[in-house]
Amino acid sequence: MAEETDKELVKRVQKGDQAAFDMLFARYQSKILNLISRYVRDSEEVHDVAQEAFIKAYRALPRFRGDSAFYTWLYRIAINTAKNHLVARSRRPPATDVDVDDTDYRDDADILRESEDPESALSRDQLRDVIHQALADLPDDLRSALTLREFDGLSYEQIADILECPVGTVRSRIFRAREFVDQRMQPLLAGRDT
C-alpha cells in the first residue's frame, strides 16, 4: 500500500484516529525539532517546545481547513510556540546554533574548506563566527525567512504561508537578509585576496 498523504492522515485524525496523528508526528518530528533548535538552544527545552507544538497542533487539528499544506501549518505553529517560549523566558531567539557547514549558502565557504592548514581553519572559523553573528543580529522576520529558505529549503510560497505574509514580502525579507549577511562577510572575504 502506498504511503498515505498528509491530507488523508489529517482527515483520519479529524475522525478520531489517534494512530493517524502518530504517523504525522513520526513524519515531521525531526524537522520540527530542527526548526525549533534554531530558536531554543537547550536540547531539553527544544524537545519540550516541540512536544508543546505537537500538542497545540493536535488540539487545533479539528479546525484545520486545509487552506495550506499540513506541514506549512505545523511549521507556523512550531515557530510561534518557540517564539512564545522565548518571550516567556525573556530571551531573544539565538541564530548562532545554525551550522554554516550545513548549507550551500555561499560558494566562498567551499574555498575555506578546501585546505586544512591552521590559517585556513582560522579563516573558516572566523567566517563561521561572522555569519553566526550576522544571523543573530538580523531582525526576527528577516532571520525566519532566510533560515526557512536556506536551511529548510522551503519555497517562497511555503514561507509566505508559514509567516502569514505575501510572497513579495518573503522575497524582500530574504533579499535584505542575504544582503545584510553578505555585507558582514565582505571584510573577511576581501582580506583573503591580499
Side-chain angles (χ1 to χ4, degrees):
M1 182 177 159
E3 187 173 313
E4 288 182 276
T5 66
D6 289 352
K7 191 174 186 176
E8 292 167 337
L9 290 172
V10 166
K11 284 181 182 179
R12 285 180 46 198
V13 174
Q14 290 174 330
K15 292 178 182 174
D17 186 346
Q18 174 66 40
F21 187 78
D22 293 344
M23 293 169 71
L24 288 168
F25 176 81
R27 187 176 289 176
Y28 291 107
Q29 180 183 16
S30 63
K31 288 183 179 184
I32 295 301
L33 286 169
N34 188 30
L35 176 67
I36 291 171
S37 72
R38 298 202 181 108
Y39 294 89
V40 179
R41 292 187 64 73
D42 183 273
S43 63
E44 288 183 27
E45 288 182 21
V46 168
H47 282 85
D48 290 345
V49 172
Q51 181 176 3
E52 184 180 346
F54 276 107
I55 289 170
K56 286 180 179 181
Y58 181 74
R59 289 180 179 158
L61 210 46
R63 296 181 306 279
F64 177 70
R65 296 185 316 267
D67 295 338
S68 63
F70 172 76
Y71 71 88
T72 302
W73 179 76
L74 181 61
Y75 267 47
R76 187 180 314 130
I77 290 172
I79 287 172
N80 289 337
T81 304
K83 287 181 178 180
N84 290 341
H85 171 78
L86 292 171
V87 167
R89 296 258 191 243
S90 299
R91 291 188 294 197
R92 182 168 182 236
T96 56
D97 58 346
V98 177
D99 188 353
V100 172
D101 294 330
D102 287 345
T103 182
D104 295 326
Y105 177 69
R106 290 282 302 188
D107 292 333
D108 297 329
D110 293 333
I111 297 168
L112 296 177
R113 284 194 292 256
E114 287 175 1
S115 176
E116 289 301 315
D117 64 71
E119 186 176 322
S120 292
L122 178 62
S123 294
R124 184 189 65 238
D125 291 345
Q126 288 172 334
L127 180 61
R128 183 190 64 233
D129 292 345
V130 166
I131 293 173
H132 284 184
Q133 189 59 52
L135 289 171
D137 292 345
L138 281 170
D140 285 346
D141 58 343
L142 299 184
R143 182 182 328 108
S144 293
L146 182 67
T147 58
L148 288 170
R149 178 69 178 170
E150 298 297 339
F151 301 116
D152 290 328
L154 298 181
S155 71
Y156 290 109
E157 292 77 14
Q158 292 166 326
I159 297 168
D161 284 344
I162 290 168
L163 300 180
E164 298 179 314
C165 64
V167 172
T169 302
V170 169
R171 290 182 189 280
S172 173
R173 287 177 183 176
I174 291 171
F175 176 81
R176 291 185 354 235
R178 286 176 177 161
E179 192 172 62
F180 181 82
V181 172
D182 283 346
Q183 287 174 352
R184 291 288 186 92
M185 291 171 47
Q186 283 309 312
L188 187 58
L189 295 174
R192 290 189 46 78
D193 297 333
T194 59

